[in-house]
Amino acid sequence: MQKIAIVSDIHGNILALEKVVADIEARQVDCVFNLGDHISGPLYPKETLDFLRKQDWVQLLGNHDRQLISQNPEQHGLSDRYAFSFLNDADLDWLRSLPASTRVTNQFFLFHGTPSRDTRYLLETVAHGRARLATQAEIAQRLDGAMAQIMLCGHTHIPRVVEMAHDILVVNPGSVGLPAYDDVTPAYHVMETGSPHARYAILAYKNGSWQVELISVGYDAQQAAQQARKNGRPDWEYALLTGFMPQKKAG
């Protein structure tokens, strides 16, 4: 493998995914790794899952995928509930077949959040309602001894490349389908990329080392935002159109 595409956090946005896949195909990659959170959200879960099931990719289970197959549906949040309503038994069986993490050859370790927790941020630390780049000590603590030359994570939707000791590269490709969101764990915060682009990454082995390209792809974000609005999610509508979250009003 000399050239690998890394995608993550599609969140049911088939419109963004199709543009990303067209860009990937133009770059003639050897394989694709998909780090999870495939369909949760108010967009196109069934179309997205049908597409992913046909791909010969290495694919993982994200935290939202795990919730779809393990939680009582009455406990689902809005995004999981919408996605779950479209799934049949074959869809759920496919999700159940996916690993939470995997190693590819001896070089690559793939996981969604951290190696041990799919809901934990690896490269970001929440502070004062936003997320900053984690320190190397924080990242090392969250890796908890896990080692590989290339560590690939998703979950935060923020594209990053971090080099650790011993020339270990940690790469988050960002989110294909959702450029901003807010969350209440570990405290209320927003994650924002600042534009509506779909994001992914390319790993290429050149001149004896791995090079990383973080890629932003334009697509019809207006149509995706209209779908979110139609399904009663103005927060997603704003995020999809802008890459920011709407400002919370005081009071």
Side-chain angles (χ1 to χ4, degrees):
M1 291 182 294
Q2 300 296 306
K3 200 172 187 181
I4 304 165
I6 318 296
V7 301
S8 190
D9 296 279
I10 299 161
H11 284 282
N13 193 340
I14 189 67
L15 305 177
L17 180 60
E18 287 173 344
K19 288 292 188 181
V20 164
V21 168
D23 196 69
I24 288 171
E25 289 175 348
R27 293 168 186 265
Q28 299 180 308
V29 304
D30 299 305
C31 60
V32 180
F33 298 162
N34 177 7
L35 306 179
D37 276 7
H38 309 302
I39 58 174
S40 179
L43 300 179
Y44 309 96
K46 183 64 174 173
E47 296 89 338
T48 303
L49 196 66
D50 288 347
F51 180 92
L52 291 175
R53 287 178 61 185
K54 297 173 185 173
Q55 306 311 308
D56 184 24
W57 297 354
V58 177
Q59 308 202 64
L60 297 186
L61 199 70
N63 62 298
H64 282 282
D65 309 313
R66 174 181 53 78
Q67 288 163 193
L68 288 172
I69 59 176
S70 65
Q71 273 190 346
N72 183 325
E74 294 180 2
Q75 296 178 303
H76 287 164
L78 292 176
S79 293
D80 288 352
R81 186 178 307 146
Y82 183 81
F84 187 82
S85 70
F86 289 88
L87 302 185
N88 59 34
D89 289 343
D91 297 328
L92 293 169
D93 286 343
W94 183 79
L95 289 173
R96 292 187 187 102
S97 75
L98 302 180
S101 64
T102 193
R103 291 181 182 267
V104 179
T105 69
N106 292 322
Q107 282 188 303
F108 307 98
F109 189 18
L110 287 58
F111 45 87
H112 184 70
T114 70
S116 59
R117 286 174 55 188
D118 60 15
T119 56
R120 191 178 193 189
Y121 296 164
L122 178 60
L123 300 182
E124 281 76 29
T125 295
V126 172
H128 311 296
R130 306 193 75 82
R132 61 164 172 81
L133 174 64
T135 66
Q136 287 207 340
E138 289 171 329
I139 296 167
Q141 186 265 331
R142 294 164 193 171
L143 288 172
D144 194 24
M147 291 283 286
Q149 183 183 359
I150 309 286
M151 316 277 272
L152 302 173
C153 64
H155 188 48
T156 68
H157 299 205
I158 305 296
R160 287 199 193 276
V161 181
V162 174
E163 187 168 86
M164 302 291 288
H166 311 296
D167 297 323
I168 292 171
L169 272 184
V170 187
V171 179
N172 186 324
S175 171
V176 169
L178 183 60
Y181 67 90
D182 60 4
D183 199 1
V184 295
T185 304
Y188 179 81
H189 63 282
V190 297
M191 303 295 274
E192 299 172 323
T193 59
S195 81
H197 293 80
R199 288 168 170 83
Y200 80 103
I202 292 280
L203 275 171
Y205 193 73
K206 295 181 181 178
N207 304 319
S209 65
W210 286 98
Q211 299 179 11
V212 187
E213 185 178 359
L214 299 175
I215 299 166
S216 300
V217 177
Y219 76 102
D220 191 353
Q222 195 87 33
Q223 184 179 341
Q226 288 171 358
Q227 178 75 352
R229 181 171 68 248
K230 186 181 84 172
N231 289 317
R233 295 298 300 275
D235 54 337
W236 274 63
E237 178 190 5
Y238 191 91
L240 289 163
L241 285 173
T242 66
F244 291 94
M245 290 303 293
Q247 293 291 313
K248 291 275 187 181
K249 294 179 181 176

